[in-house]
Amino acid sequence: MEALFGWSWLIIAFPLLGFLINLTTTGRTRERAVGIVASGAAAASFMMSAMVFLALAARPPEARLVEVSLYHWAAVPPLAVEVGLRIDPLSATMALIVTLVGTLIHVYSIGYMAGDPHIRRFFMFLNLFLASMLLLVLADNFLVLFVGWELVGLCSYLLIGFWFETPYNAWAGRKAFIVNRLGDFGFTLGLLLLFWTFGTFRYEPIFQAAERGAVEAGVIAVITLLLFAGVTGKSAQIPLYVWLPDAMAGPTPVSALIHAATMVTAGVYLIARAHPLFAMAPLTQAVVIFVGAATALWAALIAIGQFDIKRVLAFSTISQLGYMVAAAGAGASGAAIFHLGTHAFFKALLFLGAGSVIHALEHAHRHHGRRDPLDPNDMRQMGGLARRMPVTAWTYGIGAAALAGLPPLAGFWSKDEILAALRETGGWATLAYGLLLATAFLTAFYMTRQVVMVFAGAPRSHAAAHAKESPAVMTVPLGLFAFFAITAGWINAPGLGVLSAWLEPEHPLVFHPEQALGATLVAFAGVGAAWAIYRPQAWPKGVEDPLQAALRAVFTALNRKLYVDEFYDALFVRPFEGLARAVARVVEPYGIDGAVHGLARLVQSAAEVARRWSSGYVRQYGLSVLIGAVLLVFYVLWILR
């Protein structure tokens, strides 16, 4: 088993190999073969991750850290960068989650993307996305982590804008890329200051120096705040969360992978990985806790007013990431990673379930030759799908209940652990606890609203009335994810606490029954409130949304995402575009082009003068020689005087 650690690089290599195989495939390869190659590569990575996980678990707790050196990347004193892998409980757990969820999403994609003319490009990018995330979580230093961090951002841009023929999709990809660059600018400054302070990018020397008190607390506070700027981008926290709702422009499997197992979880992982630094910066911890809790509540409010089935899930992801960020900021990294894992299962289930619904509506609309417009994402055009798509409906209901935190599903255990950790921390965490408790009510409310609008009542469109269940290649992954959404939380249930003992053996799990009961009552109150408003019997005919009819302007504000996009557009986008147009009108023609053309004219003028001496007349050349000789004589006499 010990020899497996030396081969742990295969966890990254397998999906990268799948990318290269599909990249070099020529001719008209069958689309199913492309999907099988990509899915097989992801599955091989999962199997290798599982074996490395078991090999690490076989070691005693004090020996569960293995560093694997791969090669020397750069040696420019004082900078020396070595590419290596760090195998410890945190990285092994993350690799297992990423590869398991990623493999099931790959398999689902075979059915979902069937018939797409660019399916080979899709699976290439999906494999590269997986490899990039695995590089990020397995890196043994901050610089290699940053390489994976940026590759994940590149892949998200390529996949969000995958259907770039539609202008909105291309715009959404650019928006995600640019907003993340803003956060990554802070992250880059943090890395530079990190190296300037510690003289290395490797985790262990940095953490040991910080724990010894070798660096001033103020410097560590600045470093961690800069690192957290990157987290607000990747993990979609206030103020840089605005890219994630528009990331729904990509194919649904991409949404599932981004939200469940890759890009957005990178920020949570970074805080957990750099916990020794964040623990030395109380100011940063307070900022992280408050931003996480505020983001959770803010996104949950906006989710209530959305009609797009995927956009509701997008804001729920932003909200749940707020839970994880707040927990990680409070030092409860184990609780944050626990919720990250359970969330990966039920959020992947929900997105793939939404994809199943969208796929069925689109197919029914085309099959019946309808020419009237259909938005397959609009929940107002759904309804009654539980009878038409029973597998999708049941599995989606399980995912929604898990997200709402209803016992005994996975989300109940992980969310309760976060709330308990914040209540015990005190200080800023007490305020965060209250915000997250309110978020729990809103989460249960908007997920019940969504389930009722999509699956209950009578069909509200021709497509919904004729939808059919998705094929087995799509429903089998739904069933597996539903199984994990039910069972995954029990690994950290009272009396077991397996994950806590694995990630944080020095912090035994403590269960608070009164806390769990209070959170459960809040969740059920949210379910009850939504059912009272949206149950089919209480839904007035001709009304698109009962809550919209009641709240009016407030609901409109929620539907418009509280006008944050408009605010950013007025404050940043339009002034920048105006500046760009001014540069294009003035600096470009008179500055850049003017300098280039001016130099060209200078050379042209010099050439005109020189050309007069190239007449072809011998007497003119003789005169030139004479003048040159005279000047040379005068120069020599001047030197010798």
Side-chain angles (χ1 to χ4, degrees), residues 1 64 104 110 121 138 165 183 194 250 265 303 328 391 408 453 588 614 623 627:
M1 293 287 281
R64 288 175 182 163
L104 293 176
I110 296 174
R121 174 162 58 91
L138 292 173
E165 298 88 351
L194 195 74
T265 62
V391 176
M453 288 186 72
E588 181 76 21
S614 301
L623 179 62
I627 293 173

Side-chain angles (χ1 to χ4, degrees), residues 500-532:
S500 292
W502 170 253
L503 292 175
E504 298 178 309
E506 69 280 5
H507 297 112
L509 178 66
V510 178
F511 180 66
H512 300 277
E514 72 287 355
Q515 159 58 44
L517 177 61
T520 302
L521 292 175
V522 167
F524 274 112
V527 172
W531 177 253

Side-chain angles (χ1 to χ4, degrees), residues 3-96:
L4 281 172
F5 296 117
W7 294 93
S8 55
W9 56 272
L10 288 173
I11 298 173
I12 304 170
F14 280 131
L16 193 58
L17 179 62
F19 165 78
L20 293 174
I21 291 174
N22 282 328
L23 175 66
T24 55
T25 300
T26 57
R28 293 182 59 83
T29 306
R30 293 181 61 185
E31 60 181 33
R32 189 169 289 271
V34 171
I36 289 173
V37 168
S39 301
S45 181
F46 166 66
M47 292 174 63
M48 192 68 199
S49 298
M51 289 190 289
V52 169
F53 184 92
L54 293 174
L56 189 69
R59 288 183 156 212
E62 65 276 5
R64 288 175 182 163
L65 171 59
V66 180
E67 293 187 330
V68 181
S69 178
L70 297 180
Y71 62 91
H72 295 282
W73 181 11
V76 184
L79 176 65
V81 182
E82 186 174 289
V83 177
L85 306 181
R86 179 187 176 97
I87 311 297
D88 63 3
L90 177 58
S91 62
T93 302
M94 285 294 297
L96 202 61

Side-chain angles (χ1 to χ4, degrees), residues 457-625:
R460 292 186 293 277
S461 69
H462 183 274
H466 294 85
K468 294 182 179 179
E469 186 61 89
S470 298
V473 72
M474 296 171 66
T475 55
V476 169
L478 292 180
L480 292 174
F481 276 127
F483 170 77
F484 288 118
I486 295 171
T487 61
W490 287 91
I491 62 172
N492 229 31
L496 294 176
V498 175
L499 187 64
S500 292
W502 170 253
L503 292 175
E504 298 178 309
E506 69 280 5
H507 297 112
L509 178 66
V510 178
F511 180 66
H512 300 277
E514 72 287 355
Q515 159 58 44
L517 177 61
T520 302
L521 292 175
V522 167
F524 274 112
V527 172
W531 177 253
I533 296 172
Y534 286 96
R535 72 185 190 276
Q537 299 86 348
W539 197 321
K541 290 184 178 181
V543 176
E544 288 188 339
D545 189 299
L547 193 63
Q548 182 182 25
L551 297 181
R552 298 186 180 181
V554 174
F555 189 93
T556 300
L558 296 176
N559 180 256
R560 297 292 297 273
K561 298 172 284 186
L562 294 173
Y563 302 104
V564 173
D565 281 336
E566 289 82 353
F567 174 72
Y568 283 3
D569 187 64
L571 190 62
F572 301 112
V573 178
R574 273 184 274 172
F576 185 81
E577 289 177 344
L579 177 63
R581 282 191 291 269
V583 168
R585 285 196 303 265
V586 179
V587 178
E588 181 76 21
Y590 299 107
I592 300 174
D593 289 347
V596 173
H597 293 159
L599 181 61
R601 284 192 290 269
L602 178 63
V603 172
Q604 186 179 22
S605 301
E608 288 285 347
V609 174
R611 188 169 58 184
R612 296 172 185 171
W613 291 96
S614 301
S615 62
Y617 294 110
V618 175
R619 63 178 180 271
Q620 188 173 352
Y621 296 156
L623 179 62
S624 300
V625 172

Side-chain angles (χ1 to χ4, degrees), residues 101 105 244 248 252-253 255-261 264-265 309-321 324 339-355 396 398-400 402-404 410 443 446-447 450 478 481-482 485:
V101 174
I105 291 174
L244 191 56
M248 302 302 97
T252 299
S255 303
L257 195 58
I258 289 176
H259 288 251
V264 298
T265 62
I309 185 173
K310 289 170 62 177
R311 199 176 290 273
V312 173
L313 298 179
F315 279 105
S316 81
T317 297
I318 297 171
S319 182
Q320 297 304 305
L321 287 167
M324 302 175 210
H339 195 53
L340 184 153
T342 60
H343 177 265
F345 293 126
F346 57 71
K347 186 51 63 69
L349 169 59
L350 290 168
F351 265 110
L352 298 187
Y396 200 95
I398 291 171
L403 176 57
T443 303
Y446 66 68
M447 288 310 300
Q450 184 182 62
L478 292 180
F481 276 127

